[in-house]
Amino acid sequence: MAHTTFTPEGQKTESFRLLSGHKIPAVGLGTWRSGSEASHAVFTALVEGGYRHIDTAWEYGDQNEVGVGMKRAIHAGIERRDLFVTSKLWCTELSPERVRPALLNTLQQLQSDYLDLYLIHWPFRLREGASKPPMAGDVLEFDMEGVWREMEKLVKDNLVRSIGVCNFTLTKLNKLLGFADLIPSVCQMEMHPGWRNDKMLQLCRMNGIHVTAYSPLGSQEGGRDLIHDQTVERIAKKLNKTPGQVLVKWGLQRGTSVIPKSSNPERIKENIKVFDWVIPDQDFEALSSISDQKRVLDGEDMFVNKSEGPFRSVADLWDHED
Ligand code: NDP
């Protein structure tokens, strides 16, 4: 359930309580492919948009810029303790001894003493220098338990407040739940009306795990153009909102936090104006019935090697659950 609060500027906002006890703001700024614009996007989001949640990852290559944007916002009067900063452990670092150095490097890039949330980015371990798509020997065995134990230690050592995973399946989440001392607070997954992934949402709900919806607008280049989807456009027009706002709100009404990416100041501010209206039931149902359910980010280019394996198809990556 979302909790409504107000920013010091009086702006209405919402957050969700995590298993760790901390709160995650309902809308965050995505930063994948923001590149050199990331610092400006982060500053605009925090200072002008009222965002308090930033999503980044070592693999995006923009953490230095994100750090600069946060630092400038802090100089402008925003308190670090009011921010919720997420980063992710990349696939080349998925062995126990590499977890802590990777986190320390991320903290340095972000110019921060701690992270609010650290996520396993993808549940596949890659050799450093792996090709895309991977060559034989590029995808290595992943010691999930060993890595998770190290993530748990980061929490105990106050370097990270909450931990979680991304891109997990029912099989992988159940495996993790079998040995975890700290249950993941968050599972971050692709979710939008074109890929609802109801089964993962349900498993997370049953275990009290909060879900963050990534690529809520259908993602970027090569993604799915939900902004111009007929149903989305029709409902946006009817509610006098933009398609972007309707897509963000759909995710919030499902109980997920949502992290739309934009590096355009107007769209950054637009995407968070979603707290003082609702999508009526009938329209919510129409959005939840969009056909042709399909992932945009299926991981094929990063992890599938059709002849050598160990993952020979997209279905292999997702444990044949889709
Ligand atoms: P989104 O679904 O957020 O879509 C971003 C695209 O939509 C950009 O091209 C952006 O362009 C455009 N856009 C933004 N707002 C609007 C609007 N109001 N109207 C029209 N177009 C708009 O894509 P992402 O795939 O980037 O997902 C969001 C975030 O989720 C990522 O940035 C990243 O932080 C996270 N993520 C996590 C993953 C994981 O494995 N854990 C995988 C993928 C994403 P412009 O910038 O010009 O506004």
Side-chain angles (χ1 to χ4, degrees):
M1 205 187 71
H3 303 269
T4 302
T5 44
F6 292 86
T7 66
E9 300 77 37
Q11 193 174 324
K12 196 174 176 189
T13 182
E14 284 178 9
S15 61
F16 296 95
R17 181 75 66 184
L18 303 178
L19 282 176
S20 61
H22 298 284
K23 283 197 285 187
I24 184 168
V27 176
L29 180 75
T31 61
W32 182 35
R33 294 181 176 156
S34 290
S36 60
E37 292 176 80
S39 66
H40 190 58
V42 166
F43 181 80
T44 304
L46 297 178
V47 174
E48 294 177 28
Y51 287 69
R52 291 295 177 269
H53 171 179
I54 304 291
D55 184 87
T56 188
W58 177 83
E59 202 262 338
Y60 301 165
D62 65 2
Q63 291 196 141
N64 287 313
E65 286 76 11
V66 169
V68 169
M70 287 188 337
K71 196 97 189 170
R72 285 180 52 217
I74 288 167
H75 277 303
I78 287 174
E79 307 252 15
R80 171 64 184 92
R81 66 165 180 265
D82 293 332
L83 298 184
F84 189 99
V85 184
T86 302
S87 184
K88 313 183 191 95
L89 179 68
W90 184 238
C91 305
T92 50
E93 314 306 304
L94 284 187
S95 60
E97 74 285 359
R98 295 184 78 128
V99 173
R100 186 167 295 233
L103 182 266
L104 294 176
N105 176 250
T106 276
L107 290 180
Q108 193 179 29
Q109 291 187 337
L110 292 171
Q111 304 184 52
S112 196
D113 300 333
Y114 69 94
L115 276 185
D116 294 278
L117 178 63
Y118 202 33
L119 303 171
I120 292 179
H121 202 153
W122 286 87
F124 308 108
R125 182 174 161 217
L126 290 176
R127 191 180 59 78
E128 214 165 336
S131 313
K132 227 176 165 184
M135 297 198 298
D138 276 350
V139 182
L140 306 171
E141 203 177 310
F142 167 34
D143 170 10
M144 191 195 285
E145 182 169 355
V147 166
W148 192 251
R149 291 276 171 260
E150 291 300 315
M151 300 276 285
E152 291 174 332
K153 282 185 204 155
L154 298 179
V155 177
K156 288 193 189 92
D157 293 343
N158 291 321
L159 291 166
V160 167
R161 295 206 160 153
S162 306
I163 50 177
V165 298
C166 306
N167 301 307
F168 266 42
T169 55
L170 302 173
T171 309
K172 293 186 177 84
L173 188 54
N174 278 320
K175 177 177 169 183
L176 179 59
L177 292 174
F179 59 69
D181 287 334
L182 282 183
I183 305 238
S185 283
V186 173
C187 184
Q188 189 181 113
M189 285 173 284
E190 177 178 341
M191 275 190 184
H192 44 69
W195 178 248
R196 291 189 303 273
N197 205 351
D198 292 322
K199 60 186 181 311
M200 277 300 291
L201 185 58
Q202 197 188 354
L203 178 65
C204 288
R205 275 189 189 144
M206 277 163 46
N207 288 283
I209 300 170
H210 175 74
V211 171
T212 298
Y214 79 61
S215 302
L217 313 177
S219 199
Q220 312 183 40
E221 235 183 274
R224 181 160 175 173
D225 187 6
L226 292 172
I227 294 285
H228 296 100
D229 177 275
Q230 271 184 4
T231 307
V232 176
E233 277 187 329
R234 176 178 61 75
I235 292 169
K237 202 164 167 199
K238 176 180 157 192
L239 302 178
N240 202 18
K241 301 292 168 194
T242 68
Q245 290 170 327
V246 166
L247 289 164
V248 171
K249 188 72 186 184
W250 178 83
L252 299 184
Q253 285 186 211
R254 288 179 102 206
T256 66
S257 51
V258 184
I259 46 172
K261 175 266 173 186
S262 180
S263 37
N264 172 290
E266 294 318 311
R267 289 193 283 277
I268 289 172
K269 287 183 255 179
E270 168 190 322
N271 291 342
I272 198 168
K273 289 188 182 140
V274 287
F275 296 122
D276 51 5
W277 54 282
V278 289
I279 302 174
D281 287 351
Q282 190 189 344
D283 297 324
F284 183 83
E285 286 311 319
L287 289 165
S288 305
S289 310
I290 287 179
S291 55
D292 193 19
Q293 290 290 305
K294 212 169 48 215
R295 293 177 194 277
V296 172
L297 283 142
D298 63 13
E300 176 163 18
D301 58 338
M302 286 185 288
F303 308 114
V304 172
N305 180 322
K306 288 184 178 142
S307 52
E308 318 275 354
F311 304 107
R312 291 171 190 259
S313 66
V314 168
D316 278 355
L317 294 179
W318 301 100
D319 296 320
H320 297 261
E321 292 174 3
D322 295 344

